[in-house]
């Protein structure tokens, strides 16, 4: 048993005058009367007896004592059992990568948050704590409503490595968990911006510090013909060196005996980023590191091999000699395709006349007409990116089915059906399309589109905060395995999953077998910019109960029930007299 307001027990002092009133009798003066028959119950002893009298109404006294005791227990907020001292507190921790920035004392912002959270729990007298981490997908670090020691222990093992995000949805969720009239404590490294709508019950505590930082803002790797090309972009945010040394180490690949290590000196502009491109032969994992500064995490990346899967292109029977010759000339010089023997696991792109079931049809049927422009292309179509049709003489036939991508008047020159089947309505024997730059660019876009439909990840390096593209096939069960665990992937075809919540390696599994993997890098330019960080403590705008004063539940009502019952019973007993 415990008391939420022990001062309420002072009400027990009312027992002293109550008991005294039952024993103490006022001494009466003798009164002379002519007869006693006018008095219903003469009590001579009470009139002239001693000042203290023997107690005669035990039931009434006990009921009134019980009423005083019940009133005192209600005023003292008595509680029993497990709920006797339950205090619930909701904490929200910013899960952004910038929380790993180090201050002048060598401690990270997250370490200062852990210390401040422990002080806040002790000050509020909380026995049960819920800890939430904000992020693109908010999650529970501890709870809901676990013992304070367990919650603080879970916070010790928590690592904030997420991308930049909006914290308001997490704060609204925390407000629902805390309950009406209770405060939520939010810990971050930056004051709230002017456009941030902070819920009125949230106390915003920022423990960051404004400082300069040099960071990698992008890192990509592409492997082709045994050569790895690494492209880096380095930026300086705020005060810092005008030049930085990047250490790049390439581990030996399958065909190399030893690795390669080099140091690149990179000049940093005041605004924007510097781009560096490096090339390695027969390289395994490539590790890039910058000198440690305020945020070491954004200066180190590991780039595993990312071979470019070629597309197997097959030419069906029935193509015109001009069409076959133009296609074979492109396939012979394009490094992105494998013509002839199909590559195992590579996507297959079939090209044939319109009378076949090929994925790409080439040719013109019906009445032929020649166009020299103007040509109109569908906006937003990736198939027509950088395709310049100026100076092209295009001979087309009957309009093909599907959504028009290129038109000339009422004639449809290029169209795409719902399933991705592409129609090139052109007679190359009477056109000059194959002799212009538009021809290899158009076929290159077609090949890249076919590669994007290959099962797996179209990209093998992603920055924090970027959506996760993936391609799956119908009829199979897929799962995404990463640092946060295993999650099923629903849908078929080209999908766009939500941005990963933490960096690391992510693998795509089909029926339990890994088919592809990618690396999510701990890079986010918005998180690397530490100039807007700072320290501030903004109290909650809405007055509410804290953990020690309000408790986790309302004041117990059963003492009031006992008080009312005792008063009614006392009235029943005394009314007979």
């Amino acid at each position: 048993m415990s008391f939420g307001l022990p001062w309420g027990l002072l009400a027990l002092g009312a027992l002293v005058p109550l008991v005294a009133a039952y024993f103490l009798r006022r001494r009466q003066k003798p009164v002379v009367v002519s007869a006693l028959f006018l008095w219903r119950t003469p009590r001579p002893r009470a009139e002239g007896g001693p000042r203290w009298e023997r107690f005669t109404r035990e039931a009434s006294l006990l009921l009134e004592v019980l009423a005083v005791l019940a009133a005192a227990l209600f005023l003292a907020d008595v509680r029993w059992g497990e709920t006797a001292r339950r205090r619930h507190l909701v904490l929200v921790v910013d899960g952004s990568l910038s929380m790993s920035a180090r201050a002048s004392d060598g401690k990270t912002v997250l370490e200062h948050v852990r210390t401040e959270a422990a002080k806040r729990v002790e000050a509020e007298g909380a026995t049960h704590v819920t800890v939430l981490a904000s992020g693109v997908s908010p999650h529970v670090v501890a709870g809901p409503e676990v013992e304070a020691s367990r919650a603080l222990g879970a916070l010790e093992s928590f690592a904030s490595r997420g991308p930049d995000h909006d914290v308001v949805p997490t704060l609204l969720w925390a407000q629902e968990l805390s309950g009406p009239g209770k405060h939520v404590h939010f810990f971050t490294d930056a004051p709230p911006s002017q456009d941030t709508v902070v819920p009125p019950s949230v106390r915003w505590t920022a423990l960051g510090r404004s400082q300069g930082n040099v960071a990698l803002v992008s890192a990509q790797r592409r492997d082709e013909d045994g050569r790895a090309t690494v492209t880096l972009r380095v930026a300086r945010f705020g005060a810092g060196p005008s030049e930085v040394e990047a250490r790049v180490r390439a581990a030996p690949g399958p065909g190399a005996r030893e690795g390669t290590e080099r140091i690149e000196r990179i000049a940093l502009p005041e605004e924007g980023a510097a781009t560096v491109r490096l090339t390695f032969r027969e390289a395994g994992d490539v590790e890039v590191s910058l000198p440690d500064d305020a945020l070491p995490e954004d200066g180190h990346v590991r780039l595993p091999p990312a071979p470019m899967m070629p597309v197997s292109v097959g030419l069906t029977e029935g193509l015109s000699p001009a069409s076959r010759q133009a296609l074979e000339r492109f396939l012979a010089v394009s490094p992105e395709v494998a013509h002839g023997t199909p590559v195992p696991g590579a996507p297959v792109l079939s090209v044939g006349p319109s009378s076949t079931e090929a994925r790409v049809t080439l040719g013109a049927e019906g009445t032929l007409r020649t166009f020299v422009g103007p040509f109109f292309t569908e906006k937003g179509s990736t198939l027509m990116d950088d395709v310049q049709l100026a100076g092209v003489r295009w001979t087309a036939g009957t309009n093909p089915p599907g959504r028009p991508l290129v038109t000339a008047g009422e004639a449809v020159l290029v169209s795409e059906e719902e399933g991705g089947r592409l129609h090139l309505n052109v007679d190359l024997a009477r056109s000059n399309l194959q002799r212009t730059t538009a021809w290899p660019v158009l076929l290159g876009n077609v090949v890249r589109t076919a590669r994007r439909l290959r099962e797996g990840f179209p990209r093998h390096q992603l920055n924090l905060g970027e959506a996760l593209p993936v391609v799956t096939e119908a009829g199979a069960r897929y799962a995404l395995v990463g640092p946060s665990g295993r999650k099923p992937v629903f849908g078929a075809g080209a999908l766009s999953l939500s941005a990963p919540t933490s960096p690391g390696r992510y693998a795509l599994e089909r029926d339990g077998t890994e088919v592809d993997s990618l690396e999510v890098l701990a890079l986010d330019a918005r998180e690397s910019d530490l100039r807007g960080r700072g320290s501030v403590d903004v109290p909650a705008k809405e007055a509410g109960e804290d953990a020690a004063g309000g408790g986790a539940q309302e004041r117990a009502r059963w003492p009031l029930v006992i008080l009312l019952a005792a008063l009614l019973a006392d009235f029943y007993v005394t009314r007979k007299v």
Side-chain angles (χ1 to χ4, degrees), residues 52-387:
W52 290 94
E53 185 180 90
R54 185 179 65 84
F55 180 50
T56 59
R57 292 188 292 172
E58 295 86 351
S60 177
L61 176 61
L62 291 178
L63 290 174
E64 293 176 7
V65 168
L66 180 62
V68 172
L69 180 61
L73 292 179
F74 177 77
L75 295 176
D77 191 13
V78 65
R79 295 178 183 179
W80 295 87
E82 186 67 21
T83 60
R85 49 184 301 273
R86 189 180 185 88
R87 309 286 190 271
H88 181 212
L89 188 66
V90 178
L91 307 177
V92 180
V93 181
D94 191 349
S96 302
L97 180 65
S98 60
M99 296 288 288
S100 300
R102 297 186 179 276
S104 56
D105 58 358
K107 293 184 178 181
T108 65
V109 179
L110 185 59
E111 290 175 334
H112 288 287
V113 167
R114 295 186 183 117
T115 303
E116 182 62 25
K119 294 179 180 179
R120 199 71 58 85
V121 170
E122 182 178 0
E124 301 288 356
T127 59
H128 290 73
V129 178
T130 299
V131 182
L132 303 180
S134 66
V136 178
S137 298
H139 63 279
V140 178
V141 177
E145 299 191 36
V146 298
E147 291 79 2
S149 58
R150 291 180 55 189
L152 295 177
L155 185 58
E156 287 291 331
S157 59
F158 169 71
S160 54
R161 304 185 65 190
D164 181 71
H165 59 275
D166 184 11
V167 301
V168 175
T170 311
L171 298 180
L172 294 176
W173 181 25
Q175 189 174 247
E176 294 179 1
L177 293 178
S178 63
K182 306 294 172 47
H183 287 165
V184 173
H185 300 263
F186 176 55
F187 299 97
T188 183
D189 62 342
S193 59
Q194 295 181 353
D195 56 348
T196 301
V197 181
V198 182
S201 63
V202 174
R203 177 180 176 182
W204 187 296
T205 303
L207 301 175
R209 177 173 172 265
S210 177
Q211 51 190 330
N213 184 42
V214 176
L216 286 165
V217 295
S218 177
Q220 295 293 326
R221 171 177 175 169
R222 179 175 178 178
D223 291 80
E224 184 179 351
D225 296 331
R227 183 179 63 181
T229 302
V230 177
T231 305
L232 307 174
R233 296 183 68 244
V234 185
R236 180 184 62 182
F237 301 98
S242 59
E243 191 178 61
V244 67
E245 290 186 351
R247 184 179 298 273
V248 185
R249 180 183 180 276
R257 294 183 178 179
E258 57 183 14
T260 303
E261 185 172 352
R262 65 178 71 171
I263 296 178
E264 294 288 331
R265 301 188 67 87
I266 304 174
L268 302 176
E270 293 184 1
E271 298 292 338
T275 302
V276 179
R277 185 172 286 105
L278 308 172
T279 303
F280 302 92
R281 298 290 301 182
E282 305 297 339
D285 291 351
V286 176
E287 297 180 356
V288 182
S289 60
L290 300 179
D292 289 344
D293 51 6
L295 187 60
E297 280 75 6
D298 61 7
H300 301 270
V301 295
R302 183 182 66 87
L303 303 175
M308 184 178 62
M309 179 67 71
V311 177
S312 297
V313 179
L315 305 181
T316 63
E317 297 294 334
L319 288 171
S320 66
S323 298
R324 180 174 290 274
Q325 182 181 7
L327 289 171
E328 289 180 346
R329 187 165 56 249
F330 168 79
L331 298 177
V333 298
S334 176
E336 299 181 352
V337 300
H339 179 43
T341 304
V343 178
V348 177
L349 180 64
S350 58
V351 183
S354 56
S355 58
T356 62
E357 297 295 329
R359 188 169 186 83
V360 178
T361 65
L362 178 60
E365 295 181 348
T367 304
L368 300 180
R369 292 180 297 172
T370 301
F371 303 90
V372 294
F375 302 102
F376 302 93
T377 60
E378 177 71 17
K379 293 183 179 180
S381 173
T382 57
L383 289 170
M384 304 309 299
D385 285 346
D386 300 325
V387 177

Side-chain angles (χ1 to χ4, degrees), residues 467-497:
L468 183 62
V470 63
V471 179
T472 60
E473 297 178 353
R477 300 178 63 180
Y478 289 90
L480 183 66
V481 182
S484 57
R486 181 188 181 93
K487 297 181 179 179
V489 177
F490 301 102
L495 308 175
S496 180
L497 307 182

Side-chain angles (χ1 to χ4, degrees), residues 483-519:
S484 57
R486 181 188 181 93
K487 297 181 179 179
V489 177
F490 301 102
L495 308 175
S496 180
L497 307 182
S498 59
T501 57
S502 59
R505 182 179 184 271
Y506 290 79
L508 179 67
E509 293 185 354
R510 179 188 62 209
D511 298 329
T513 303
E514 182 176 322
V515 295
D516 203 358
S517 64
L518 63 76
E519 193 78 15

